[in-house]
Amino acid sequence: MTAQGVAAQTGSGPEPPSTPLNQGKPHSARMYDYFLGGKDNYQADRQAAAKVLTMWPGVMTAARTNRAFMHRAIRYLAAEHGIRQFLDIGTGIPTSPNLHEVAQSVAPESRIVYADNDPIVLAHAQTLLSSHPQGRTAYVDANVAEPDTVLNAPEVGEVLDLSQPVALSLCALLHFVPDEWDPYAIVQRLLEPLAPGSYLVLSHITPDFDPEATQRTVQIYHSGGIQGKIRTRAEVERFFTGLELVEPGIEVPHRWRPELAAPDAGTGTGDVTDEEVSFWVGVARKPAS
């Protein structure tokens, strides 16, 4: 959809009444929902999305390509490495198939904990709890800026066995973590209690391919009160310090193992360009100490 098309939609249809979930301000989770083609967004989100699309026309492609990468990475870990436990932080508004649906399509006994500290996501959390009967899911209301609130949540101990490998998913999250929060220390703290053989799945917006568009996009988010920092390949690679990257290493999402897509899902590659997507992704294993 063009930016003009988005702008045309911003004035159509009745606007939901003001509630704690709708403060008349754009919200990153609702904007991402819009870019994925969802309907859980409001006028302020669509107006901000229209501005982003003007600056970065490929943002919808980027969101959907990133989502397709997450699906492939989870399927890869479940099918080829036997991972049966997943901790997904920065869950966002549920968009099917969710992580647990992908994992449990490979291994129904998979157990998943979702974590976010957003009332908007919490309002939709029930969708995340529709586990396969053989598996289990849980939702934790916790802040990634305080990783111990995630790790010490009762639901984590009830659903996951941290003495066994866990896949930690931080997809499209860390570019909303500014430098002053020390994102590298946050990632290391989250990985610290996980057993050897655990994996980190990460995706992050980068200015490397289209610096003007991505930097202007950041300014739009900042003007809406949304914090964040886009990072270069070298900065993204630092998140994997001490881990063993699996092939193909740090890569753009549409070239990360596209052959692993589900038969009915498509690869998420198509004719997209690196400039449109402007993400780096990677999957890495925690070695034995």
Side-chain angles (χ1 to χ4, degrees):
M1 182 178 292
T2 65
Q4 291 79 7
V6 177
Q9 286 194 13
T10 61
S12 63
E15 183 70 6
S18 181
T19 71
L21 304 186
N22 174 25
Q23 301 291 345
K25 295 172 58 178
H27 190 281
S28 59
R30 293 193 306 246
M31 289 173 68
Y32 192 67
D33 171 75
Y34 181 87
F35 294 139
L36 288 172
K39 298 180 180 179
D40 294 303
N41 47 77
Y42 297 119
Q43 183 173 0
D45 311 302
R46 296 189 290 272
Q47 289 176 335
K51 294 178 183 178
V52 171
L53 278 161
T54 301
M55 297 295 106
W56 181 12
V59 65
M60 282 184 158
T61 298
R64 296 171 189 187
T65 304
N66 172 71
R67 186 77 174 179
F69 154 74
M70 185 273 284
H71 291 167
R72 295 196 305 277
I74 297 306
R75 188 173 296 107
Y76 165 77
L77 293 177
E80 300 192 25
H81 293 278
I83 300 298
R84 299 293 182 264
Q85 303 188 108
F86 300 85
L87 176 57
D88 180 45
I89 303 178
T91 298
I93 294 172
T95 304
S96 186
N98 294 298
L99 188 151
H100 74 277
E101 294 172 301
V102 176
Q104 292 179 349
S105 72
V106 176
E109 70 275 21
S110 296
R111 301 187 301 280
I112 296 88
V113 173
Y114 293 102
D116 212 311
N117 73 322
D118 194 313
I120 293 167
V121 179
L122 181 61
H124 295 272
Q126 193 60 39
T127 303
L128 299 171
L129 304 179
S130 57
S131 173
H132 190 284
Q134 296 180 34
R136 190 173 175 189
T137 65
Y139 178 83
V140 173
D141 184 14
N143 192 343
V144 70
E146 301 171 348
D148 284 344
T149 65
V150 177
L151 298 171
N152 295 332
E155 295 87 347
V156 171
E158 292 168 4
V159 176
L160 304 180
D161 177 1
L162 299 190
S163 70
Q164 299 299 314
V166 175
L168 170 64
S169 175
L170 303 174
C171 287
L173 169 67
L174 293 171
H175 42 252
F176 295 115
V177 178
D179 286 340
E180 52 265 35
W181 293 6
D182 198 349
Y184 299 104
I186 288 172
V187 173
Q188 288 301 311
R189 176 64 188 121
L190 291 169
L191 288 167
E192 184 180 339
L194 304 188
S198 293
Y199 285 84
L200 172 63
V201 179
L202 185 148
S203 67
H204 200 296
I205 294 177
T206 182
D208 290 352
F209 303 108
D210 194 343
E212 183 176 354
T214 49
Q215 291 290 358
R216 287 182 176 178
T217 296
V218 168
Q219 293 170 7
I220 293 170
Y221 276 91
H222 286 177
S223 68
I226 301 169
Q227 299 186 75
K229 167 72 182 295
I230 57 176
R231 297 181 172 93
T232 65
R233 179 188 175 115
E235 291 173 310
V236 172
E237 194 166 8
R238 279 186 59 195
F239 288 114
F240 296 96
T241 299
L243 305 179
E244 299 170 345
L245 280 161
V246 303
E247 292 295 333
I250 305 295
E251 185 54 278
V252 288
H254 46 292
R255 288 199 291 274
W256 194 95
R257 296 178 177 255
E259 72 280 1
L260 296 178
D264 60 347
T267 63
T269 60
D271 297 323
V272 302
T273 67
D274 295 355
E275 290 77 13
E276 286 178 306
V277 176
S278 289
F279 263 81
W280 288 118
V281 304
V283 176
R285 180 181 183 274
K286 180 177 180 178
S289 56

